[in-house]
Amino acid sequence: MKQVTIKNDHLILMVLDYGAVIQKLMLKNSDETYSNVVVGHEFPSDYLDDELYLGACVGRYAGRIGKEFTLDRETYQLPNDHGVHLHGGREGFSKKYWKFEEVHYGENPYVKLSYESAHLEEGYPGNLKTTVTYALKGKNLRIIFDAVTDRATVVNLTNHSYFKLDDEASINEYRLQLNCSHFLETKPNLLPTGKAYLTEGSSKDFTKEKSIGDERLDTPFVVDMNSPVVAKCSSPKSGISMEVATNQVGMVVYTPSNFGAICFETQNLPDAPNHKNFPNCVLRPKEKYRNISEFRFSTN
């Protein structure tokens, strides 16, 4: 397993080739100390048994899909557990070794990795060539996914970092604001029904900043595209704040119940291949998939 570290005056980023994992993201505090703002394993080998997708790039389709989908009149069966195909399958992109393509250590450092997914890997059609670029600029981490295919397929990629803004065991005191006026109704297995509801008046209404409290989320939100900033989150204890900006139409916000952290999975909507009213997720030859998301940090 290979590891690359890049840094600037504000951030230190450690990346693994396995799963293109973000192992550590160290943010410099005002007193010159560093805080790791993501949850990760100390030893790279521990990721081989990780089932939480800690810091990993997930695909070929992030989130949940049913056990099959139809594309151009052909139906593709997907490996699933009780009818749910999650984060690209049992051996999805998060379980693959990516290749370090480029590493730039100078001003505005970045690291670029690639993975080639074969036709019918985990049931998906087409040979898909994917790259992910992690770039540091100031106190910002930019993540760029690009992909091309040699035949029609479905694509939805995201990074699955768990952000932790202080050393508390709970995120109840975190302040959260989401630029999302709708969320998807989901079944008990968390597959969407195809309906979207207004967040206003629900427990999932974070359109105005408030404390997370005891609300726990595993919720697909529909992004309001009136602003690139789709989320703001902060810890009153540490004084660390973050903003999430993206060009994606959806974002799954996930707060695990067993430790204090929060995920902002910027992506298309879950199960979009099986809902005609959801945004298009089909990638065809000569087209290019691009997901650009930026995580912007500040300290008091």
Side-chain angles (χ1 to χ4, degrees):
M1 197 176 295
K2 298 178 181 178
Q3 181 188 76
V4 165
T5 300
I6 58 173
K7 62 182 179 180
N8 65 9
D9 291 338
H10 304 281
L11 293 168
I12 301 174
L13 175 68
M14 298 175 64
V15 179
L16 303 177
D17 61 346
Y18 182 76
V21 161
I22 293 177
Q23 184 184 13
K24 292 184 179 181
L25 181 62
M26 310 294 293
L27 173 67
K28 183 184 286 188
N29 299 307
S30 56
D31 61 0
E32 301 296 310
T33 61
Y34 280 86
S35 297
N36 185 12
V37 292
V38 297
V39 178
H41 296 295
E42 186 66 28
F43 301 104
S45 59
D46 289 341
Y47 286 92
L48 296 173
D49 299 319
D50 177 67
E51 298 298 330
L52 298 175
Y53 307 93
L54 290 176
C57 290
V58 292
R60 180 173 306 193
Y61 200 96
R64 290 171 171 81
I65 310 182
K67 61 184 178 180
E68 63 184 26
F69 67 91
T70 300
L71 176 60
D72 294 341
R73 297 183 297 279
E74 185 169 352
T75 298
Y76 296 92
Q77 303 294 326
L78 301 175
N80 64 90
D81 290 315
H82 306 293
V84 178
H85 175 91
L86 176 63
H87 286 328
R90 300 184 180 103
E91 296 293 331
F93 288 9
S94 62
K95 300 294 185 182
K96 302 297 185 181
Y97 282 92
W98 294 56
K99 179 183 178 182
F100 284 111
E101 293 284 356
E102 299 177 38
V103 183
H104 178 64
Y105 294 105
E107 188 177 359
N108 298 327
Y110 66 87
V111 54
K112 183 177 183 180
L113 302 94
S114 66
Y115 177 68
E116 296 189 13
S117 176
H119 175 57
L120 295 182
E121 180 179 278
E122 293 296 304
Y124 293 95
N127 296 293
L128 187 77
K129 295 181 178 180
T130 301
T131 64
V132 60
T133 302
Y134 299 114
L136 303 180
K137 187 171 184 180
K139 296 180 182 179
N140 303 337
L141 167 65
R142 174 172 282 200
I143 304 177
I144 304 171
F145 287 101
D146 290 302
V148 293
T149 183
D150 63 357
R151 63 184 292 172
T153 189
V154 297
V155 182
N156 186 34
L157 307 173
T158 196
N159 178 269
H160 205 287
S161 287
Y162 293 74
F163 294 96
K164 186 170 179 61
L165 305 183
D166 59 32
D167 57 4
E168 293 294 311
S170 167
I171 61 170
N172 287 15
E173 300 304 315
Y174 282 17
R175 305 284 294 176
L176 179 65
Q177 183 175 8
L178 303 176
N179 188 25
C180 305
S181 57
H182 291 78
F183 68 96
L184 298 184
E185 180 187 56
T186 54
K187 305 173 187 176
N189 63 5
L190 296 183
L191 281 174
T193 64
K195 297 179 180 179
Y197 289 123
L198 285 170
T199 56
E200 184 179 2
S202 75
S203 63
K204 297 174 174 57
D205 185 4
F206 288 92
T207 52
K208 296 181 179 178
E209 184 187 65
K210 66 178 182 180
S211 296
I212 292 177
D214 58 4
E215 180 72 19
R216 289 299 172 261
L217 301 168
D218 194 351
T219 307
F221 287 92
V222 181
V223 169
D224 295 341
M225 302 302 289
N226 57 347
S227 169
V229 176
V230 297
K232 296 180 180 180
C233 189
S234 62
S235 164
K237 179 185 178 183
S238 69
I240 296 175
S241 301
M242 65 180 294
E243 292 183 347
V244 182
T246 188
N247 66 346
Q248 297 297 287
V249 297
M251 178 174 62
V252 174
V253 180
Y254 175 48
T255 55
S257 59
N258 54 339
F259 61 93
I262 185 168
C263 295
F264 298 101
E265 303 166 49
T266 52
Q267 56 182 279
N268 202 333
L269 301 184
D271 205 28
N274 293 313
H275 296 278
K276 293 182 179 180
N277 59 317
F278 283 7
N280 176 54
C281 64
V282 176
L283 182 70
R284 299 186 181 277
K286 299 183 180 180
E287 296 178 344
K288 187 175 183 179
Y289 171 91
R290 171 161 275 204
N291 173 337
I292 304 176
S293 297
E294 193 167 88
F295 303 87
R296 304 167 178 169
F297 298 90
S298 62
T299 56
N300 290 341

